[in-house]
Amino acid sequence: MKLPLIIQGGMGAWVSGYKLAQAVSMHKKCMGTISGIALDRILAWYLQNGDPGGHFLRALNNFPFPEISERVINRWYCKNNVVEHKRVPKLSLNPSVDFIDLTICGNFVAVWLAKEQHNNPVSINYLEKIQVPLIYSFVGVIMAGVDYITMGAGIPDQIPELIRSFIEGEEVKYNIDIQGSKKKYVLKFNPKEYFGCRLLPKLFKPNFLPIISSNLLANILVRRFREKPFGFVVELPCAGGHNAPPRSYKSGEYIYGEKDLVNFEKLNELDIPYWLAGGFASPEKIAYAKSLGAQGVQVGSIFALCDESEIEQKYKDILRRNGYNNNQVIITSSYSPTNYPFKIAELDNTLSDSVIYENEIRQCDKGFLVSFYIDDKGHIHSRCSAEPIDSYLKKGGKIDDTAVARCLCNGLLSTVGKGDIDRHAIITLGDDLSFLKHLMSCAEDSYSVDDVIKYLSKNN
Ligand SMILES: Cc1cc2nc3c(=O)[nH]c(=O)nc-3n(C[C@H](O)[C@H](O)[C@H](O)COP(=O)(O)O)c2cc1C
């Protein structure tokens, strides 16, 4: 099997939607990745907004269990401009039928659409930190024939078993972390029972690429996986999105040092293909990655700013202009409730602006980034450092966590125009935007996936 040279990284939420992933995967040496974050809400949004173009309905009509897809259509599809939309359920440890249906079908349709009109591989990306939807998401994407799954933000050591059990028609399980407790909560799902069938359709096993940032994590996964990992994405700290925390953190600042560097000689000894991510969006950097021993690269920001990405046009225009003029500030923030460093593009009228942030309502109504904890009576609850401070403290949360915490669920959905109207966007990008000068002829110019691939493929 030919491995891709360039992976377009998964960019949540819905920055890398099916259109971007499909456009990238149309090119032979490249693989597009859909973001697997909040696909329940993305599907509900398109259906509630009349599904312009009919793409989501077309994909749903190909879902192998029509009782489920019809239930989703009947519940969420609005033919005319309906003003009052139904509320999509918040993530919880006791997911409702609506949540399960939307998650399975949302994941199915995203992959199904990205795979239309070509035969090249397509991948999907998840964050290990967002654990609850995983068992339902995997069922959806594997039924749609996803080729690769990438996963960062955690230790994804349960994934090979999750994939195996579904492919072999068994019940699927995921151990959910409970803060302050060694015990895990086991979330279970029986696909055959849910779909009311004795046999599942023929399923293919996708390749799994954990996203790592250290030799240590590579070695842990090699030890814990029953089979040798198919490959790794090795992400450096200048990458967009969440980054791996450095060894050192002082007075609110992340300090990356020698100990955070990857030892490529040691990595090459594992004899596992890997792709380098974080500031590799140039033909020279791709050649450099290959010289270190990489199979190729994973790039994100260069695609986040191209025409096919789902970032709202008004933000893309400003970010490209600022980036072209070398005055787009990117910081490594501690804004994410996950406690992982999170790259932020500073932009007026978004949550990077402290005045906008101070005036934003604190309310946790989506719940993707909550942490679960156990109370004195042994009951499990959830909390998020971006929820109202009083309630977070009452739940045993620490005041320090709340100081700068932003609601990424709402902020990221607003970035792609799929959020609530009273919420502001938050934008993440990698440190390196030097590619813009090679793709744009002036600050107002734009560029497409084809332009990116033509540029990156020079001499590669
Ligand atoms: C807008 C944006 C959103 C991202 N979201 C995710 C994500 O949800 N999950 C993930 O594993 N990586 C995410 N990333 C990281 C990319 O997949 C990729 O590894 C990274 O952007 C590579 O570095 P570069 O931006 O310098 O090219 C995101 C990056 C960007 C720019």
Side-chain angles (χ1 to χ4, degrees):
M1 184 194 8
K2 261 218 163 276
L3 298 178
L5 171 70
I6 299 165
I7 302 178
Q8 164 256 307
M11 294 180 282
W14 202 239
V15 169
S16 55
Y18 77 88
K19 285 185 206 151
L20 175 59
Q22 181 195 39
V24 174
S25 280
M26 291 268 192
H27 293 260
K28 277 239 158 55
K29 282 191 209 164
C30 308
M31 178 166 72
T33 307
I34 306 151
S35 161
I37 310 300
L39 291 179
D40 53 325
R41 284 183 181 270
I42 297 294
L43 174 59
W45 188 92
Y46 278 97
L47 294 180
Q48 302 214 57
N49 284 280
D51 189 24
H55 305 297
F56 284 74
L57 289 177
R58 185 172 73 255
L60 279 173
N61 286 332
N62 283 279
F63 188 72
F65 299 100
E67 322 81 86
I68 311 286
S69 45
E70 275 161 25
R71 191 159 74 200
V72 167
I73 294 168
N74 291 337
R75 177 123 180 87
W76 300 100
Y77 179 53
C78 304
K79 261 198 196 127
N80 304 311
N81 281 341
V82 177
V83 183
E84 189 93 10
H85 283 166
K86 289 179 210 116
R87 285 175 80 86
V88 177
K90 181 179 170 181
L91 179 146
S92 96
L93 274 185
N94 296 304
S96 61
V97 169
D98 276 344
F99 179 86
I100 297 174
D101 281 358
L102 278 174
T103 305
I104 294 176
C105 291
N107 278 269
F108 175 87
V109 298
V111 169
W112 192 92
L113 289 168
K115 284 183 76 75
E116 251 189 329
Q117 295 170 29
H118 64 92
N119 292 316
N120 299 327
V122 162
S123 122
I124 193 154
N125 168 264
Y126 299 101
L127 301 182
E128 205 278 334
K129 170 78 191 167
I130 307 180
Q131 297 181 323
V132 170
L134 289 177
I135 50 178
Y136 317 110
S137 304
F138 273 55
V139 166
V141 295
I142 294 175
M143 287 201 295
V146 77
D147 302 276
Y148 284 75
I149 296 176
T150 64
M151 186 179 285
I155 302 182
D157 55 354
Q158 302 182 58
I159 300 304
E161 177 57 14
L162 171 54
I163 295 175
R164 186 208 60 76
S165 51
F166 177 49
I167 300 271
E168 293 182 11
E170 295 170 11
E171 180 180 65
V172 290
K173 293 180 194 150
Y174 209 83
N175 297 324
I176 309 288
D177 295 332
I178 308 293
Q179 272 184 352
S181 163
K182 283 204 178 124
K183 274 202 193 142
K184 306 268 184 183
Y185 178 89
V186 188
L187 198 61
K188 296 179 186 169
F189 179 64
N190 189 325
K192 283 189 193 161
E193 220 170 73
Y194 198 77
F195 298 135
C197 66
R198 287 185 44 233
L199 268 183
L200 292 170
K202 194 164 168 47
L203 302 171
F204 294 96
K205 185 176 156 198
N207 297 321
F208 179 50
L209 300 179
I211 301 174
I212 59 164
S213 56
S214 65
N215 298 87
L216 182 68
L217 185 51
N219 294 333
I220 290 176
L221 294 176
V222 168
R223 264 202 315 274
R224 290 194 190 165
F225 283 11
R226 266 204 233 155
E227 289 173 23
K228 196 168 176 174
F230 182 86
F232 293 120
V233 172
V234 181
E235 205 177 58
L236 308 186
C238 61
H242 284 95
N243 305 134
R247 307 280 165 96
S248 165
Y249 180 75
K250 263 190 212 140
S251 4
E253 278 211 37
Y254 296 106
I255 303 157
Y256 289 90
E258 287 268 306
K259 285 188 178 159
D260 300 302
L261 294 177
V262 176
N263 181 327
F264 289 102
E265 261 174 41
K266 290 231 163 82
L267 194 62
N268 291 336
E269 281 169 16
L270 296 176
D271 197 21
I272 293 173
Y274 61 90
W275 288 259
L276 281 180
F280 284 90
S282 76
E284 297 78 21
K285 282 293 186 68
I286 295 179
Y288 173 61
K290 287 201 291 192
S291 75
L292 289 172
Q295 185 65 43
V297 297
Q298 170 168 293
V299 291
S301 304
I302 194 169
F303 284 115
L305 296 179
C306 81
D307 297 335
E308 291 87 342
S309 112
E310 299 285 342
I311 294 185
E312 284 232 277
Q313 194 62 41
K314 61 181 177 191
Y315 300 125
K316 256 195 269 184
D317 288 344
I318 306 176
L319 292 163
R320 280 197 295 236
R321 187 185 314 138
N322 290 351
Y324 185 87
N325 291 329
N326 291 329
N327 55 21
Q328 178 57 55
V329 177
I330 313 277
I331 60 161
T332 304
S333 76
S334 35
Y335 294 173
S336 171
T338 60
N339 283 332
Y340 283 88
F342 188 60
K343 285 278 181 319
I344 292 288
E346 293 203 333
L347 208 62
D348 289 350
N349 214 23
T350 69
L351 285 176
S352 66
D353 176 334
S354 54
V355 178
I356 297 280
Y357 169 59
E358 296 298 337
N359 289 311
E360 188 85 344
I361 1 158
R362 279 185 97 104
Q363 187 191 4
C364 179
D365 56 358
K366 310 276 186 290
F368 291 105
L369 295 178
V370 295
S371 301
F372 296 101
Y373 69 97
I374 195 157
D375 69 14
D376 303 342
K377 293 182 185 133
H379 300 137
I380 299 174
H381 308 274
S382 66
R383 63 185 170 213
C384 173
S385 53
E387 73 179 81
I389 295 177
D390 290 2
S391 79
Y392 185 68
L393 298 182
K394 267 192 213 139
K395 293 172 178 178
K398 296 197 191 96
I399 185 77
D400 287 355
D401 300 343
T402 65
V404 293
R406 266 73 167 164
C407 174
L408 297 192
C409 298
N410 280 294
L412 292 174
L413 285 168
S414 294
T415 300
V416 295
K418 307 287 176 283
D420 299 345
I421 39 168
D422 54 348
R423 297 294 194 134
H424 287 88
I426 191 155
I427 295 169
T428 178
L429 278 180
D431 287 331
D432 178 23
L433 303 182
S434 59
F435 49 80
L436 291 173
K437 280 267 168 20
H438 299 272
L439 293 163
M440 295 161 61
S441 58
C442 66
E444 307 308 317
D445 202 1
S446 72
Y447 61 91
S448 66
V449 162
D450 289 358
D451 296 328
V452 171
I453 291 170
K454 200 167 152 206
Y455 165 58
L456 296 181
S457 305
K458 257 187 234 162
N459 307 325
N460 284 304

